[in-house]
Amino acid sequence: MQKKTSNLHAKFNAFVSTEGFKSFASSIMAIIFGLAVGFVMLIFANSKYAFDGLIALLTGGFADGMKSLGNVFYLATPIIMTGLSVGFAFKTGLFNIGGSGQYLVGAFVGIYISATWTFIPSSVLWIVALAGSALAGALWAFVPGLLKATRNVNEVITAIMMNYIGVYLVNHLIPLSPIYDSTRNQTVPPRSYIPRAGLDLIFPDSSISASILIAIACVVIVYIVLNKTTFGYELKACGYNQNAGKYAGINEKKCIILSMVIAGALSGLAGGLAHLANTGKYISVVDVLPQDGFDGIAVALLGLSNPGGIFLAGTFIAYLRQGGFFMQRYGYVTEVINIIIATIIYCSAFSAAFKNILTKIKSKKNNKEQKKVAGEEK
Amino acid sequence: MDYIIEMLNITKTFPGIIANDSVNLLVKKGEIHALLGENGAGKSTLMSILFGMYQPDKGEIKINGQPVKIKDPNDANRLGIGMVHQHFKLVGNFSVLENIVLGAEDTKMGVLQLKEAREKVMELSTQYRLMVDPDSKIDDITVGMQQRVEILKMIYRDNDILIFDEPTAVLTPQEIEELIKIMRKLAQEGKSIIFITHKLNEIKQVADRCTILRKGKYIDTVDVSKTTAEEMSEMMVGRKVQLQVSKEDANPGEAVLSVKDLCLKTNKNAQKNKLNNVTFDVKKGEILCIAGIDGNGQTELAYALSGIMPISSGTVTLNGEDISKASIRSRSVKGISHIPQDRHKDGLVLEYSLEENLILQEYFTPKFQKKGLLQFDKIRENATKLIEQFDIRSGQGPITTVRSMSGGNQQKAIIAREITKDPDLLIAVQPTRGLDVGAIEYIHSKIVEQRDNGKAVLLISLELDEVMNLSDRILVIYEGEIVGEFDPKQVDVKELGLYMAGSKKMEVK
């Protein structure tokens, strides 16, 4: 009996010391830390309902049962995609801060195709529209990738510039195009939507659609590309050490461009998925960068750039947003709610720091145990 | 007996390894004490403890019989301990004098007082015969003189205990002789010297006593005059080591690589060619060695041949095929293997695991991939085989992150990868840099084995011992030009040194 428990104990220890567990535990610690800081902010904003507010924030994702949960997945879809975009670029040594621009041009092209290409039957039009979104995002990221590869221009600067080019270009194009709703100063609804794929039966009355399935598919594909293919091996090798990549005969310039293009396609697709989900989402003609692109950075950080982690992180942040709606019941205004969520996300970015702490604690413990063993031997 | 330094029972552990396990180091006043050991034997850790960069877990340090605690390098300086690092810590565009006083300047109302400093420096320089020109810029003087500046820096601060970390690695034979004279002079004047090295002949030449470490353990302290180099190397490695490479005479066949009038500029606007009309052949079954002082175009030559740097003019022919403009990948596939000079910069992806690094040159071949998917079982199999065959040691075997491996084992991984590719031409640039005797012996034997299998080997090395030991033919490179061709049996190190320093030159065709 004792042997069995010690066996289990050893197994548990082995599991606890795996890299994956460490990553997971550190993210959880970061989240708890973030919630604690968020709670302090709640007290500052309105101390009377701070506790109720926190409960609402934490349970809002389940407040209306499956409906809320379905909405969580709906909200999670675009930020999982932009998170994947940022995480993929990270893994290959690039920082894609251009997610917002890529998302926006992706959304524009998606809506445009879906609203105007009437020659394609509407049952498949949404697929074409999404492909257009991905292509547009890819094109937007191609420019920074090309400049980085050939002229060694820092991709952060060019991607930020592409963000603004994207915003102003889209704002300029919408009024000139047939998808403009001039009375509301926004885009018209698309003609073909992403199907519900039966998910509305599981999550009734929610905004969920097959978008989330496409996002999950992307998570799986990115994971496979990065970890199982020669292509991913090349991209990562160049990302970690460009010189070694070159030495091994890998075309490092091609790698940089392709990494950016793939990251851009993911962000572009995020824009398409968000706007073709039949939830009445539109692009309004205002000079503001869409938040979802920047949220991707937080999601990627919280998920430690790991596709699975990004899925969890994106869902978590969407869960908080959903919970945030319910905080309004206690008189918290949306701005305060956003600040609190932002604080939690901000603190969550410390997950890398927590990982270091965990590693240190672990090695200290090991040292102590070694010393103990040594002492017993004496 | 009065010892100036007593390090007693020093133990220092890092997670997973015991770097120093009850090590003793006793240095007498005025002696030259060599510290000998393989890489990872704990020499650097021991010296870092003495210099205050690490704190020992156990043990005691006494300076002049007084127990001391050395908390940081400033403490070490106060106790008169100075160190000449392997890579000099000088400011390139400062003058010699400015570099010497840097950090110990005399100022009056915030104004630098260089006059007295100059007098003191000149005085010390004549006293210890350390010839320097105080007004030259560091960038303009030779490596040998830079080293003298480093030594003067220590003496200027009245340091009595001088640590030399592998001081001869960057010097020509003539400069080494000069350095040895200086060290003797310093010892005569009452300075105590700790001399870290793995070159046994230098220990024989200059040191009085020698402390040997092996795998963190203290082995022995011996009297150098009463111990042979073979005995010392045996103590260092723990088994008998062959210091001389045993090899048959070369049996060169036809040319594998032909280089003709190769010129290379590092950038378009450069005034001078980094390589100028370089012409040579490497034949089947021979080891051709390019000797020269660091920075005379060796790096560029290796890069030009492997395709990493484009050439400006000339031709490179491999097995009769012109590859002057071929890509890196196609040269590699056509039969060039390249052991790069800088294993961290070029040779390895440090974040990748050992098994991933071992396929860096062949991951795209059917051996390791099917339809673009990596074949992890084959990759593991390959790693297990090479780890055993080349004795690559690491914490977790195939899945060890290469960054965490020792330099010697990282180098072994590169060599395993490049040799098993079965190349026609092996370009090895400083393949044993920073490695210990055991690993050097092994790598040398592998290189000779390649030659005996009828491969062409181009060895580019800064170590003259290695050049003399391994090569079948020697070319000397100076400022990007081939200035001499020699048969290693008919030339001595001194003669080579003259060509390497540019004071002699012959027409080579």
Side-chain angles (χ1 to χ4, degrees):
Chain A
M1 185 62 200
Q2 204 185 0
K3 203 174 179 187
K4 205 174 177 186
T5 49
S6 74
N7 206 355
L8 270 177
H9 188 71
K11 261 189 191 165
F12 176 74
N13 269 347
F15 172 68
V16 166
S17 36
T18 55
E19 202 61 13
F21 177 80
K22 251 190 237 161
S23 304
F24 187 71
S26 59
S27 289
I28 297 289
M29 283 167 75
I31 288 166
I32 292 171
F33 176 64
L35 286 172
V37 177
F39 184 63
V40 174
M41 308 261 314
L42 278 177
I43 293 172
F44 268 106
N46 185 347
S47 56
K48 205 170 158 195
Y49 292 113
F51 192 71
D52 293 328
L54 186 71
I55 296 294
L57 179 68
L58 288 181
T59 58
F62 290 114
D64 294 335
M66 292 310 252
K67 180 189 169 195
S68 301
L69 203 57
N71 284 337
V72 168
F73 284 125
Y74 161 71
L75 290 173
T77 305
I79 55 176
I80 288 173
M81 293 300 295
T82 50
L84 270 183
S85 166
V86 175
F88 183 83
F90 263 148
K91 283 265 176 188
T92 55
L94 296 163
F95 185 28
N96 179 23
I97 201 170
S100 287
Q102 295 147 15
Y103 173 95
L104 189 63
V105 295
F108 172 72
V109 170
I111 294 172
Y112 185 89
I113 291 177
S114 139
T116 59
W117 287 15
T118 44
F119 52 90
I120 298 173
S122 68
S123 54
V124 291
L125 182 55
W126 61 275
I127 300 176
V128 181
L130 285 181
S133 297
L135 267 178
L139 178 73
W140 233 244
F142 172 73
V143 179
L146 184 73
L147 287 170
K148 166 94 179 180
T150 57
R151 301 251 74 88
N152 199 23
V153 185
N154 192 316
E155 77 277 11
V156 172
I157 294 164
T158 41
I160 289 175
M161 294 204 285
M162 288 306 282
N163 278 345
Y164 287 103
I165 295 173
V167 170
Y168 293 116
L169 189 72
V170 167
N171 285 351
H172 181 70
L173 287 179
I174 290 174
L176 300 178
S177 68
I179 62 167
Y180 184 49
D181 179 347
S182 59
T183 51
R184 295 199 179 91
N185 194 28
Q186 65 188 43
T187 52
V188 297
R191 208 172 54 82
S192 164
Y193 294 111
I194 299 164
R196 301 265 182 219
L199 287 170
D200 50 341
L201 300 176
I202 310 173
F203 306 98
D205 302 325
S206 73
S207 304
I208 199 165
S209 69
S211 307
I212 185 69
L213 300 181
I214 295 172
I216 291 171
C218 286
V219 167
V220 174
I221 291 170
V222 166
Y223 174 79
I224 290 173
V225 166
L226 277 179
N227 296 302
K228 305 284 176 199
T229 64
T230 51
F231 178 55
Y233 179 89
E234 287 181 345
L235 292 182
K236 280 191 295 177
C238 287
Y240 288 133
N241 183 350
Q242 207 177 323
N243 287 314
K246 191 174 176 186
Y247 157 82
I250 299 167
N251 186 340
E252 87 281 12
K253 295 196 162 90
K254 198 175 108 191
C255 278
I256 291 170
I257 296 174
L258 280 177
S259 286
M260 274 315 272
V261 163
I262 292 170
L266 290 166
S267 278
L269 192 54
L273 289 175
H275 289 82
L276 297 177
N278 195 9
T279 54
K281 203 172 163 76
Y282 49 80
I283 306 175
S284 51
V285 185
V286 286
D287 296 342
V288 175
L289 284 167
Q291 190 55 39
D292 287 349
F294 296 118
D295 287 347
I297 298 170
V299 171
L301 280 175
L302 184 56
L304 295 172
S305 297
N306 185 330
I310 287 169
F311 177 79
L312 292 178
T315 313
F316 169 70
I317 290 175
Y319 182 86
L320 286 184
R321 293 241 162 96
Q322 179 68 13
F325 294 136
F326 290 91
M327 285 171 72
Q328 295 180 20
R329 285 183 193 165
Y330 298 98
Y332 288 101
V333 291
T334 41
E335 284 78 8
V336 172
I337 297 167
N338 282 334
I339 289 173
I340 288 158
I341 293 176
T343 309
I344 294 171
I345 296 173
Y346 190 87
C347 295
S348 305
F350 289 114
S351 54
F354 281 108
K355 197 172 170 182
N356 281 342
I357 294 171
L358 270 184
T359 316
K360 273 203 187 130
I361 292 172
K362 189 87 194 146
S363 66
K364 257 197 191 156
K365 211 173 146 195
N366 278 350
N367 272 353
K368 262 192 194 160
E369 272 169 17
Q370 271 175 11
K371 273 187 189 158
K372 218 170 123 192
V373 171
E376 276 166 11
E377 273 171 6
K378 270 180 191 169
Chain B
M1 273 244 215
D2 52 336
Y3 291 109
I4 186 157
I5 304 171
E6 293 169 75
M7 297 181 82
L8 301 168
N9 292 316
I10 300 289
T11 299
K12 175 77 189 170
T13 54
F14 293 108
I17 43 163
I18 305 174
N20 285 155
D21 188 357
S22 310
V23 173
N24 296 313
L25 178 69
L26 301 170
V27 181
K28 290 182 202 162
K29 196 167 165 51
E31 77 166 343
I32 301 179
H33 194 108
L35 187 57
L36 178 67
E38 295 191 290
N39 272 20
K43 291 174 299 190
S44 316
T45 310
L46 191 64
M47 286 302 107
S48 301
I49 288 171
L50 183 59
F51 205 54
M53 291 187 287
Y54 293 133
Q55 298 305 312
D57 299 340
K58 262 185 241 156
E60 193 182 15
I61 304 173
K62 288 185 194 167
I63 305 284
N64 287 320
Q66 299 296 317
V68 291
K69 273 241 173 315
I70 306 176
K71 285 191 213 72
D72 54 42
N74 290 333
D75 279 354
N77 262 322
R78 248 169 267 135
L79 291 165
I81 303 171
M83 189 158 174
V84 175
H85 297 270
Q86 196 173 357
H87 300 283
F88 305 146
K89 311 222 178 279
L90 297 170
V91 184
N93 50 4
F94 268 24
S95 74
V96 167
L97 182 63
E98 286 167 330
N99 265 289
I100 292 171
V101 299
L102 186 64
E105 311 91 342
D106 278 332
T107 54
K108 212 174 260 172
M109 319 263 299
V111 179
L112 199 56
Q113 301 295 310
L114 278 180
K115 203 164 156 248
E116 285 162 34
R118 178 187 297 269
E119 277 164 21
K120 188 174 171 193
V121 167
M122 293 320 288
E123 199 179 298
L124 291 171
S125 142
T126 37
Q127 185 188 347
Y128 291 98
R129 290 199 209 119
L130 288 158
M131 293 309 148
V132 293
D133 171 7
D135 299 311
S136 299
K137 277 197 181 144
I138 293 294
D139 282 339
D140 302 335
I141 62 177
T142 62
V143 178
M145 199 188 278
Q146 290 179 7
Q147 192 168 49
R148 293 202 283 277
V149 174
E150 282 277 12
I151 298 170
L152 268 173
K153 248 169 88 177
M154 295 195 297
I155 303 170
Y156 183 80
R157 285 160 178 70
D158 300 320
N159 290 335
D160 294 322
I161 300 161
L162 313 179
I163 305 170
F164 285 81
D165 187 4
E166 308 236 353
T168 58
V170 287
L171 304 181
T172 63
Q174 280 78 9
E175 285 172 323
I176 291 173
E177 226 163 79
E178 190 65 28
L179 175 70
I180 284 173
K181 273 188 205 149
I182 292 168
M183 287 170 76
R184 288 215 184 98
K185 179 79 186 160
L186 287 166
Q188 267 172 32
E189 299 277 331
K191 308 277 182 194
S192 314
I193 295 175
I194 301 177
F195 177 36
I196 306 173
T197 188
H198 58 258
K199 289 184 188 162
L200 294 158
N201 56 348
E202 285 164 11
I203 294 180
K204 286 298 282 181
Q205 270 184 56
V206 70
D208 303 311
R209 295 193 308 148
C210 173
T211 292
I212 298 144
L213 302 182
R214 185 170 76 225
K215 289 179 184 152
K217 289 206 169 63
Y218 171 80
I219 302 298
D220 202 0
T221 300
V222 296
D223 199 327
V224 171
S225 57
K226 291 179 192 141
T227 320
T228 65
E230 281 74 20
E231 283 166 343
M232 283 193 277
S233 74
E234 201 180 325
M235 278 189 253
M236 164 168 71
V237 185
R239 62 183 165 83
K240 283 220 183 304
V241 179
Q242 230 163 344
L243 292 176
Q244 288 291 319
V245 180
S246 61
K247 61 183 176 84
E248 309 281 306
D249 280 347
N251 195 1
E254 70 232 56
V256 173
L257 178 82
S258 297
V259 180
K260 203 159 184 294
D261 298 327
L262 183 125
C263 295
L264 184 143
K265 276 183 184 175
T266 37
N267 71 59
K268 274 181 202 137
N269 306 321
Q271 296 271 316
K272 257 169 89 179
N273 283 339
K274 265 295 192 182
L275 293 172
N276 207 3
N277 288 321
V278 172
T279 301
F280 63 88
D281 284 349
V282 191
K283 302 189 185 80
K284 256 184 192 168
E286 77 162 348
I287 300 174
L288 173 66
C289 192
I290 310 262
I293 301 164
D294 199 8
N296 277 289
Q298 295 98 319
T299 315
E300 288 78 9
L301 180 61
Y303 278 174
L305 296 180
S306 59
I308 294 174
M309 273 188 187
I311 58 175
S312 319
S313 63
T315 54
V316 180
T317 320
L318 182 74
N319 290 325
E321 188 184 348
D322 186 356
I323 55 160
S324 313
K325 295 213 165 55
S327 70
I328 303 166
R329 173 65 53 84
S330 83
R331 291 182 206 217
S332 163
V333 172
K334 285 187 175 111
I336 294 183
S337 270
H338 175 198
I339 299 167
Q341 176 175 10
D342 190 333
R343 52 181 169 263
H344 290 173
K345 182 178 160 230
D346 292 320
L348 296 165
V349 179
L350 292 172
E351 286 80 2
Y352 268 177
S353 66
L354 177 56
E355 62 179 358
E356 284 172 316
N357 270 292
L358 285 172
I359 59 165
L360 193 59
Q361 296 284 14
E362 291 189 288
Y363 67 90
F364 54 88
T365 62
K367 262 160 84 180
F368 299 118
Q369 62 100 12
K370 218 183 253 170
K371 297 194 177 112
L373 291 175
L374 292 168
Q375 301 293 301
F376 290 98
D377 47 341
K378 302 263 176 57
I379 292 169
R380 182 61 55 84
E381 213 174 277
N382 175 62
T384 324
K385 200 180 83 194
L386 293 187
I387 286 170
E388 167 149 2
Q389 203 178 330
F390 288 81
D391 189 28
I392 307 167
R393 288 180 210 164
S394 61
Q396 298 157 281
I399 56 162
T400 318
T401 313
V402 167
R403 188 183 287 286
S404 71
M405 288 165 50
S406 73
N409 284 303
Q410 290 177 344
Q411 189 71 2
K412 276 185 186 172
I414 295 179
I415 285 167
R417 180 181 75 206
E418 299 302 322
I419 287 181
T420 45
K421 223 180 97 208
D422 195 22
D424 295 331
L425 171 71
L426 177 67
I427 302 171
V429 189
Q430 294 220 64
T432 58
R433 190 177 69 152
L435 303 189
D436 48 61
V437 176
I440 290 174
E441 180 198 24
Y442 181 81
I443 288 166
H444 283 174
S445 73
K446 281 286 163 192
I447 289 174
V448 172
E449 190 184 297
Q450 285 295 298
R451 181 201 74 166
D452 293 343
N453 290 341
K455 315 283 185 196
V457 179
L458 179 66
L459 176 71
I460 299 178
S461 179
L462 307 177
E463 305 263 354
L464 276 180
D465 289 344
E466 183 166 89
V467 171
M468 296 303 278
N469 246 330
L470 269 183
S471 60
D472 299 314
R473 196 152 62 90
I474 302 171
L475 295 177
V476 176
I477 191 166
Y478 175 71
E479 296 201 327
E481 287 181 44
I482 304 290
V483 294
E485 178 171 1
F486 304 94
D487 180 341
K489 288 188 193 114
Q490 289 162 16
V491 68
D492 64 2
V493 173
K494 277 192 188 149
E495 179 78 1
L496 277 182
L498 292 174
Y499 283 87
M500 284 162 60
S503 34
K504 268 178 132 182
K505 191 174 173 178
M506 66 165 82
E507 264 318 300
V508 185
K509 257 295 149 211

